[in-house]
Amino acid sequence: MTSPLIAAADLAHLLATRPTDVRVIDCRFNLADPTAGQAAWREGHIPGALYAHLDHDLSGTKTGHNGRHPMPAIADFTATARGWGIGPGTRVIAYDASGGMFAARLWWMLRWLGHEAVQVLDGGWNAWQALSGAVSTDTPPAPALGDFVAAPQTGWLLDTADVEAALARPGTMLLLDARAPDRFRGENETLDPVGGHIPGALNRFFQLNLAPDGRFQPPEALRAAYLTLLDGRPLDTLVHQCGSGVTACHNALAMAHAGLPVMRLYGGSWSAWCADPARPVARG
């Protein structure tokens, strides 16, 4: 595929002409109300869309040290993907109602596990409604079990030990934190017990990837913004992170859209880092 994004009109055409070739996954979610996304799906969704719950389908078991949204075990997610009817040739389209905030997580996970035929609906649910796209309240029949096979990409998913080791070797890793600037500075922290950021990290609020209409900015604008932020630092040292490994995927998606496919992710992110009070914290 040439783009990690798909326009609403193109998705409508795809569903009208080749519906059996695509699997649409609704990733709507609300961090403050974990039941809201599935309730919204029940009230209306793109026809045929299955629902992916951030906590149950796109995250694994929390240990207290691996962050608020740890990656699920590969075997568990493989079973989930197969249950959605995904196989090697399935084209997957993910969407949400948050500018791609949650859909990007599924996009990144599938790419990490070797599935390239995945895109995010640009503008999400709002773009679909603006198109007057068809809406269904039906529960789709369970698809035939897919034969998805995970092929994890080496080096894409990092843990806290990897980050600690890199910080001991200056210049080998550049963290890009996708959280809002105030949380990055250590202000107004409401999700994690400690405010601040990992020393040396840069900040790029994921919402800056979007235009006022909720769609992603043009590739050339995003490319210029990221290269300006990096200021000559090598792309191969960049690792995405955020609060819990969700919105970091939005920056990865934006960079891929801009032709800068940097896919490494610190999965536990700040919520895993700050779980140990002995780790250094930067503020301001």
Side-chain angles (χ1 to χ4, degrees), residues 221-233:
L222 288 169
R223 184 182 182 90
Y226 277 97
L227 291 179
T228 298
L229 176 65
L230 293 174
D231 192 25
R233 298 176 182 89

Side-chain angles (χ1 to χ4, degrees), residues 178-187 197 203-205 208 284:
R179 292 177 298 162
D182 58 341
R183 291 186 62 210
F184 179 81
R185 293 191 300 266
E187 305 164 3
H197 60 268
N203 184 217
R204 165 73 182 184
F205 186 30
L208 296 175

Side-chain angles (χ1 to χ4, degrees), residues 54-252:
L54 175 64
D55 291 338
H56 303 155
D57 300 314
L58 306 182
S59 301
T61 302
K62 292 183 283 188
T63 65
H65 300 283
N66 59 353
R68 286 183 280 108
H69 295 107
M71 286 291 162
I74 291 175
D76 292 341
F77 184 70
T78 294
T80 298
R82 289 177 176 176
W84 289 334
I86 297 174
T90 306
R91 186 170 178 180
V92 180
I93 311 296
Y95 75 93
D96 60 32
S98 305
M101 174 178 173
F102 303 108
R105 167 78 166 214
L106 176 57
W107 170 83
W108 186 90
M109 290 173 63
L110 286 170
R111 289 295 314 278
W112 164 51
L113 295 177
H115 193 88
E116 295 189 3
V118 54
Q119 293 174 291
V120 169
L121 176 60
D122 196 12
W125 180 242
N126 291 338
W128 186 257
Q129 290 186 306
L131 185 71
S132 298
V135 174
S136 174
T137 58
D138 296 336
T139 298
L145 197 65
D147 54 354
F148 178 83
V149 176
Q153 305 300 295
T154 303
W156 281 28
L157 180 61
L158 285 71
D159 61 17
T160 301
D162 295 322
V163 176
E164 288 180 314
L167 291 184
R169 303 189 305 274
T172 60
M173 179 183 294
L174 177 62
L175 291 165
L176 185 59
D177 191 324
R179 292 177 298 162
D182 58 341
R183 291 186 62 210
F184 179 81
R185 293 191 300 266
E187 305 164 3
N188 306 318
E189 181 57 68
T190 59
L191 295 174
D192 294 306
V194 179
H197 60 268
I198 300 171
L202 296 180
N203 184 217
R204 165 73 182 184
F205 186 30
F206 78 96
Q207 292 281 7
L208 296 175
N209 299 323
L210 302 174
D213 65 0
R215 294 175 174 83
F216 277 75
Q217 293 190 42
E220 57 273 14
L222 288 169
R223 184 182 182 90
Y226 277 97
L227 291 179
T228 298
L229 176 65
L230 293 174
D231 192 25
R233 298 176 182 89
L235 281 172
D236 61 5
T237 65
L238 187 65
V239 174
H240 295 285
Q241 58 112 159
C242 56
S244 66
V246 176
T247 59
C249 299
H250 199 278
N251 278 352

Side-chain angles (χ1 to χ4, degrees), residues 273-281:
W273 183 264
C274 73
D276 184 347
R279 295 191 185 105
V281 172

